[in-house]
Amino acid sequence: MSELRKDPVMGRWVIISERRSQRPDQFADAFPTVCPLKQPDCPFCAGNEERVPPPIAEILSPEGWSCRALPAASPILRQESRFEEHRLGMFHIAAGVGAHEIIVEGGRHGRSLADLPLQQVADVVLLWERRLTELGKDDRFKHLMLFKNHGPTAGEGTYRHPHSQIIALPVTPARVKDKLDGAKEYFSQTGRCVFCAILERESREKERILWENDHCVVLTPYASRFPFELWIVPKTHRADFPGTPEPVLRGLAEALKRTLARLSRLLHDPPYNFILHSAPLRRPREGFPDYWDTLDRDYHWHLELIPRLTRVAGFEWGTGFYINPVSPEGATRALQETADG
Amino acid sequence: MSELRKDPVMGRWVIISERRSQRPDQFADAFPTVCPLKQPDCPFCAGNEERVPPPIAEILSPEGWSCRALPAASPILRQESRFEEHRLGMFHIAAGVGAHEIIVEGGRHGRSLADLPLQQVADVVLLWERRLTELGKDDRFKHLMLFKNHGPTAGEGTYRHPHSQIIALPVTPARVKDKLDGAKEYFSQTGRCVFCAILERESREKERILWENDHCVVLTPYASRFPFELWIVPKTHRADFPGTPEPVLRGLAEALKRTLARLSRLLHDPPYNFILHSAPLRRPREGFPDYWDTLDRDYHWHLELIPRLTRVAGFEWGTGFYINPVSPEGATRALQETADG
């Protein structure tokens, strides 16, 4: 059973998950640099379906299935009980309730999301939306995280079969709160959504816009923390990813496939992480009846993509102050000059 | 010239430093896994003093010098001008003024801080205090960061000659602000320093205290984000590291040497970062005359040590919510069972 603990200085929650523990001398092998690519061992490959539990959901294709949601084999959080916070003097502790699902992106091993046919990328995005909508109905959850780790140094893990992950959390994470606070602050000062304002400004300037279609814009954020950091933002204002109309989801799929293909070509299939930032689930907050009042107007879902090209060292850990050796404008130009298919 | 940019959503500053830029295909080699250990090339080795500018400060030893502060060869920030913030519509930009120094920890290559004689570790700590006191007099700076990157995967860089770094910043970094806010909040609720309260509680429980001497306590924080994360905290309350009495500095040196020796033995010389968290420099804030009012009572300097054993992936980036596979109590026990010299 994992535990949630709250840092008494920062107010930040941490998961203590001893099940995932190893002897210290095994850490070096925990994330092998060369991952096994042998298909017969992979539980996500088409033909190996008997190695995993039945899927939670799937999208079918003429060849069988296009993509599917599976329960995580070693879940970080489990759907066992209710979230209950206890105090041990100055410390807070809570049971690690939540959910953890794997979205398997096709049955073929060693193919990345960028290499899949557009229809299959769209199937993955449609399945994300379907699972987030479903998990959002469980009122024990406060936030849903969808993310992908690509490549061993980005934390992909043992099986290099393309997949993304969904984690449902019983608390709102610190960085999500920071984003929400920032967006709310901008809204209270200007009456506008900060993401809409960014899109408007960037569309005028153009120097940080990489690509766009009818539904989504791909841009390098003005204050990029990392080289080639990218955001994909829907053009129409919307706080929640769940409920996004299908044409926008297909627009996201196209933007994602093209962006990943360019990154892969320019940077030689770099490791990367992406995170879908959707609004948190609105649960009534005792004593704060107006807590979520402006959220629908002040927040705007988006996908954040971080190639893992630089190392985070003492300075960044100590300050939250990142040193980025490539300007977002330079990254945009380099990616614009790269073919995407 | 580097640039400081403020993220319009998070309010967080980022350094854009194009001088440090590389062609994308060079990133893989930027942090070599096997570092050159050849002494004749190293500008920090005793005997190669002509390769570097004259030291800013040094502590002498019978053999020549014990440790020395040098200007960084590729400074992240420079002491050129005043800090001036400009607005470009919704974006903020500023010149990258600051300072960047290297503290060379002895003249011998390939020896880590843990291997140095105690007297020499104490010299390093005394030099840290002297340089932070001196840099604190420059009223363009708002915060001083002292940190160490040990090992290539912790961002040590080209020369594996033991050294720490000091960076003087013209703004207070986000994570420092978070810590200050947390400490101030606890103080306003209880009238106590949160670090003093932690020391008192942990001394009663003992399960997360690794070691102590007359002046400092070494503990694993209750909500450790990383396996074997450690804090070294002075027993006597004090917000600023500059001005710390020499006996406490010597106590820190002993705690640091013993802790690093145990970590090295248990985890086979792991990569690590440490960061000294001292209070920010108190500059008057226009319109906030009482801004620093309680800081001397609510904040407490400490050193944070993070072995780099796990990878930060999409979930951590997206949430600021860390998954730690080793409990702090388990880490304390494992380190207690390890000899330190």
Side-chain angles (χ1 to χ4, degrees), chain A residues 18 149 175 308 312 317 327, chain B residues 18 175 308 312 314 317 327:
Chain A
E18 284 266 313
N149 302 332
R175 194 160 130 55
R308 298 291 296 275
V312 171
W317 284 128
S327 74
Chain B
E18 284 266 354
R175 194 161 129 55
R308 298 292 296 276
V312 171
W317 283 126
S327 74

Side-chain angles (χ1 to χ4, degrees), chain B residues 81-253:
Chain B
S81 57
R82 293 203 69 77
F83 176 74
E84 276 177 73
E85 193 177 330
H86 303 283
R87 287 187 72 112
L88 298 168
M90 70 185 301
F91 297 135
H92 295 238
I93 188 165
V97 66
H100 189 173
E101 298 184 5
I102 305 293
I103 307 290
V104 183
E105 298 162 353
R108 307 265 293 270
H109 205 99
R111 289 197 77 175
S112 93
L113 196 53
D115 304 327
L116 297 183
L118 180 57
Q119 176 56 46
Q120 204 169 3
V121 179
D123 286 347
V124 169
V125 173
L126 294 171
L127 188 56
W128 290 347
E129 194 276 333
R130 203 192 290 177
R131 288 310 303 148
L132 292 185
T133 298
E134 194 57 33
L135 285 164
K137 294 176 184 164
D138 188 327
D139 65 10
R140 296 172 306 170
F141 303 150
K142 287 204 180 141
H143 193 66
L144 305 174
M145 285 295 305
L146 184 146
F147 63 98
K148 183 183 179 74
N149 303 332
H150 174 79
T153 56
E156 184 168 354
T158 317
Y159 298 109
R160 296 210 56 188
H161 193 115
H163 68 281
S164 32
Q165 302 183 52
I166 296 171
I167 295 183
L169 294 160
V171 294
T172 313
R175 194 161 129 55
V176 173
K177 272 191 193 140
D178 286 347
K179 274 217 176 191
L180 294 172
D181 288 349
K184 194 169 190 159
E185 172 82 9
Y186 189 87
F187 184 83
S188 73
Q189 285 174 10
T190 66
R192 297 195 65 192
C193 159
V194 64
F195 295 94
C196 288
I198 290 171
L199 285 188
E200 187 184 297
R201 189 197 153 93
E202 297 295 14
S203 300
R204 216 165 47 228
E205 299 269 338
K206 298 251 181 268
E207 60 179 345
R208 283 176 294 270
I209 290 190
L210 169 59
W211 191 81
E212 59 187 299
N213 58 17
D214 287 349
H215 302 289
C216 291
V217 174
V218 184
L219 59 85
T220 52
Y222 172 72
S224 295
R225 292 159 297 168
F226 305 100
F228 299 94
E229 180 176 347
L230 288 157
W231 285 2
I232 304 180
V233 188
K235 287 183 173 178
T236 307
H237 178 83
R238 184 179 175 84
D240 299 293
F241 179 74
T244 296
E246 189 172 320
V248 182
L249 297 176
R250 292 191 180 276
L252 169 62

Side-chain angles (χ1 to χ4, degrees), chain A residues 42-106:
Chain A
C42 172
F44 302 149
C45 282
N48 292 348
E49 285 83 355
E50 82 289 346
R51 290 170 171 267
V52 289
I56 298 163
E58 59 186 352
I59 292 183
L60 300 177
S61 71
E63 294 81 39
W65 51 271
S66 173
C67 56
R68 48 193 353 219
L70 297 175
S74 308
I76 286 166
L77 296 168
R78 289 166 195 271
Q79 274 175 295
E80 275 153 359
S81 58
R82 293 203 69 79
F83 175 75
E84 276 177 73
E85 193 177 328
H86 303 283
R87 288 189 69 115
L88 298 168
M90 69 185 299
F91 297 135
H92 296 237
I93 188 165
V97 66
H100 189 173
E101 298 184 5
I102 305 293
I103 307 290
V104 183
E105 299 162 354

